[in-house]
Amino acid sequence: ANATAGQPPNTSTTFDAVLQRTVFNISGSSQQSPVVNVSIRGIGVRDTAWTFMEPHGVPSGGDWGLERMAAIFVENSHNFLIDSIQCTRIGGNGVMFSKHNLYATVRNSHFAWMGATAIAAWGYTDEISDGGIHGIDGTTGDFPRYTLVENNLFREIGIWAKQSCAFMQAKSAQSTLHRNVAFNLARAAFNFNDGFGGGDNVTENVLFNTCRESSDHGPINSWDRQPFLTTIRTGSPSTQMEWRHVSNNIVIANYGGSKQVDTDDGSLFFRIHNNFMAYGWSQKFKCGAIESFNNVKAYVDLGAKFGDDGGCVVSNKKVFYPVLWHNDVVIHLGNSDFEYRDCWSGPNGDFDKTNVYNNTVYLQNEKINAIISCKNKKFTLRDFQKMGDGNEPNSVQINSYPSDAELTALIHSTLDNVTQ
């Protein structure tokens, strides 16, 4: 029966509406006059107001809209530290590093039941004056750089804002995400909204149960739809970003986060290596300059998807950055043929033959083949290799699964190996 148990609240009970959106605002007057060496340690921050109806901006060329506010808001800082805090029941973003921030750190903290994003880094370029022609100029230094997010726990992220994550950056560079655990999120765990500067490192994290309320995404997601001019890569202004490394992580692509590292829409200069990843797609190579190697990708239902060109040509037309896929172990989940990969065209229109090599593909039984599709034709991997001209050299198909002990040993050796 639908009975009501217990007693009603006491008539003297009061309920307070939360109005405060920001608990700490630590802001220097400019990047030339920043706040320096400020720390927030060992406290709890909770129960801030909703912010999803507050004014939003477009951080950069990715899919996001974002409000430039948070429970802990930091702008124009050097060496800002958040250590061992508990951040929970926040109506919007937990922490925001806005505009100029150098060497900000968030470590040893717990973020749970967040209305929007736990930690956001959002720089600034002038998109307004002179008709917006300065919007691509990131050489002014007005952005977060060398942010460290380490040893944190993120869970129940995106209660109100579904385009949210544990860590998001836009117009930021050289961030390090190290030894974090993130699970139970509405969208991705980590999002890179653009290719501004690059030089980021995502290493030794554990990510699972992402995209529980969305799809067409991955536990790690990126976009790169617009150029930015920065000095990150060489010290001189360039629109080419520095390589971004994703290494030594455990990534479980369950729920709607089916693309393990979703290098979407123009994403470039990713090196994805020495990870253990499970389920979903093995890899998306949508444009170029994306390399996947020395990974174990277990129980996947789809191999690799490629764009039309198999690489990218940057400002120097003589320099071509191909996609490369090699020395990965791929274990197919299923009892039918495995859609292993497309072949793709290089800068001269010739279909690739050697940019994929040394992969090991495990299939359930002898009746199944790894399939390669080329120009509306399909070949088994073995037949493709027999066609000559060095087609996918040294990749092998094994028609049985590794034992649990073999797979465990392989995962350990992959995660324990650190390469660049």
Side-chain angles (χ1 to χ4, degrees), residues 184-305:
N184 293 356
L185 303 102
R187 198 73 165 136
F190 301 150
N191 181 67
F192 297 91
N193 210 55
D194 51 51
F196 184 103
D200 308 293
N201 283 285
V202 180
T203 181
E204 297 185 353
N205 302 282
V206 177
L207 313 176
F208 60 98
N209 289 7
T210 67
C211 302
R212 296 200 304 171
E213 300 178 63
S214 59
S215 61
D216 191 21
H217 216 51
I220 301 172
N221 182 77
S222 70
W223 294 287
D224 191 3
R225 296 184 182 132
Q226 67 180 115
F228 285 103
L229 193 69
T230 76
T231 59
I232 299 299
R233 189 171 65 92
T234 65
S236 298
S238 172
T239 57
Q240 184 175 332
M241 63 180 278
E242 181 59 279
W243 286 92
R244 184 177 280 155
H245 287 265
V246 178
S247 66
N248 304 91
N249 302 283
I250 296 175
V251 178
I252 309 300
N254 58 342
Y255 287 96
S258 59
K259 300 163 186 175
Q260 297 166 350
V261 180
D262 191 352
T263 47
D264 206 2
D265 291 1
S267 294
L268 304 169
F269 300 105
F270 270 80
R271 288 194 171 121
I272 302 161
H273 56 95
N274 297 96
N275 301 282
F276 171 66
M277 302 183 177
Y279 309 120
W281 292 21
S282 179
Q283 186 57 53
K284 179 193 283 186
F285 297 96
K286 200 164 187 177
C287 180
I290 297 170
E291 302 179 6
S292 175
F293 56 95
N294 296 343
N295 301 286
V296 176
K297 301 185 174 184
Y299 312 122
V300 299
D301 53 20
L302 186 66
K305 283 288 189 180

Side-chain angles (χ1 to χ4, degrees), residues 24 26 37-45 72 74 79-87 94-95 97 103-111 119 148-154 178-180:
F24 293 98
I26 302 96
N37 298 328
V38 174
S39 300
I40 297 177
R41 302 171 183 259
I43 65 171
V45 180
I72 301 174
V74 185
N79 302 313
F80 188 88
L81 172 64
I82 294 174
D83 191 356
S84 304
I85 73 165
Q86 176 94 357
C87 194
V95 177
F97 297 111
Y103 296 103
T105 297
V106 182
R107 68 189 185 201
N108 306 325
S109 296
H110 180 198
F111 296 83
I119 303 171
L148 174 62
V149 178
E150 184 175 51
N151 293 337
N152 300 289
L153 174 63
F154 302 95
H178 182 229
R179 292 191 174 181
N180 301 286

Side-chain angles (χ1 to χ4, degrees), residues 95-411:
V95 177
M96 176 165 288
F97 297 111
S98 171
K99 299 185 179 180
H100 177 77
N101 290 272
L102 290 181
Y103 296 103
T105 297
V106 182
R107 68 189 185 201
N108 306 325
S109 296
H110 180 198
F111 296 83
W113 298 102
M114 308 297 296
T117 291
I119 303 171
W122 183 8
Y124 174 83
T125 62
D126 178 6
E127 299 174 344
I128 304 300
S129 64
D130 298 326
I133 63 172
H134 307 293
I136 71 166
D137 186 4
T139 63
T140 64
D142 216 5
F143 59 89
R145 189 173 184 182
Y146 308 121
T147 304
L148 174 62
V149 178
E150 184 175 51
N151 293 337
N152 300 289
L153 174 63
F154 302 95
R155 64 182 181 88
E156 278 66 49
I157 308 296
I159 303 303
W160 308 119
K162 303 310 172 186
Q163 191 73 287
S164 54
C165 59
F167 176 83
M168 178 270 190
Q169 74 173 43
K171 297 180 182 176
S172 304
Q174 294 173 297
S175 302
T176 297
L177 311 180
H178 182 229
R179 292 191 174 181
N180 301 286
V181 176
F183 61 95
N184 293 356
L185 303 102
R187 198 73 165 136
F190 301 150
N191 181 67
F192 297 91
N193 210 55
D194 51 51
F196 184 103
D200 308 293
N201 283 285
V202 180
T203 181
E204 297 185 353
N205 302 282
V206 177
L207 313 176
F208 60 98
N209 289 7
T210 67
C211 302
R212 296 200 304 171
E213 300 178 63
S214 59
S215 61
D216 191 21
H217 216 51
I220 301 172
N221 182 77
S222 70
W223 294 287
D224 191 3
R225 296 184 182 132
Q226 67 180 115
F228 285 103
L229 193 69
T230 76
T231 59
I232 299 299
R233 189 171 65 92
T234 65
S236 298
S238 172
T239 57
Q240 184 175 332
M241 63 180 278
E242 181 59 279
W243 286 92
R244 184 177 280 155
H245 287 265
V246 178
S247 66
N248 304 91
N249 302 283
I250 296 175
V251 178
I252 309 300
N254 58 342
Y255 287 96
S258 59
K259 300 163 186 175
Q260 297 166 350
V261 180
D262 191 352
T263 47
D264 206 2
D265 291 1
S267 294
L268 304 169
F269 300 105
F270 270 80
R271 288 194 171 121
I272 302 161
H273 56 95
N274 297 96
N275 301 282
F276 171 66
M277 302 183 177
Y279 309 120
W281 292 21
S282 179
Q283 186 57 53
K284 179 193 283 186
F285 297 96
K286 200 164 187 177
C287 180
I290 297 170
E291 302 179 6
S292 175
F293 56 95
N294 296 343
N295 301 286
V296 176
K297 301 185 174 184
Y299 312 122
V300 299
D301 53 20
L302 186 66
K305 283 288 189 180
F306 301 93
D308 294 332
D309 296 326
C312 70
V313 179
V314 292
S315 56
N316 183 349
K317 301 301 182 184
K318 296 181 180 179
V319 178
F320 178 74
Y321 290 89
V323 293
L324 295 175
W325 187 22
H326 61 92
N327 296 91
D328 273 0
V329 172
V330 182
I331 304 171
H332 173 234
L333 178 66
N335 56 10
S336 58
D337 283 345
F338 175 36
E339 189 178 344
Y340 171 51
R341 75 174 183 93
D342 298 327
C343 60
W344 66 89
S345 58
N348 299 314
D350 295 329
F351 275 92
D352 164 77
K353 300 181 184 300
T354 59
N355 286 3
V356 182
Y357 58 93
N358 285 1
N359 290 331
T360 302
V361 182
Y362 287 93
L363 305 175
Q364 188 182 87
N365 58 57
E366 290 290 341
K367 297 180 181 180
I368 302 173
N369 282 294
I371 301 298
I372 297 173
S373 300
C374 289
K375 287 187 175 180
N376 299 319
K377 296 181 180 179
K378 291 186 177 182
F379 307 92
T380 67
L381 170 60
R382 290 167 175 167
D383 287 343
F384 186 68
Q385 290 174 315
K386 291 176 183 177
M387 292 168 63
D389 298 325
N391 291 3
E392 192 156 340
N394 301 316
S395 290
V396 296
Q397 172 181 311
I398 299 174
N399 287 83
S400 62
Y401 286 158
S403 68
D404 291 345
E406 290 170 335
L407 180 56
T408 300
L410 183 59
I411 292 169

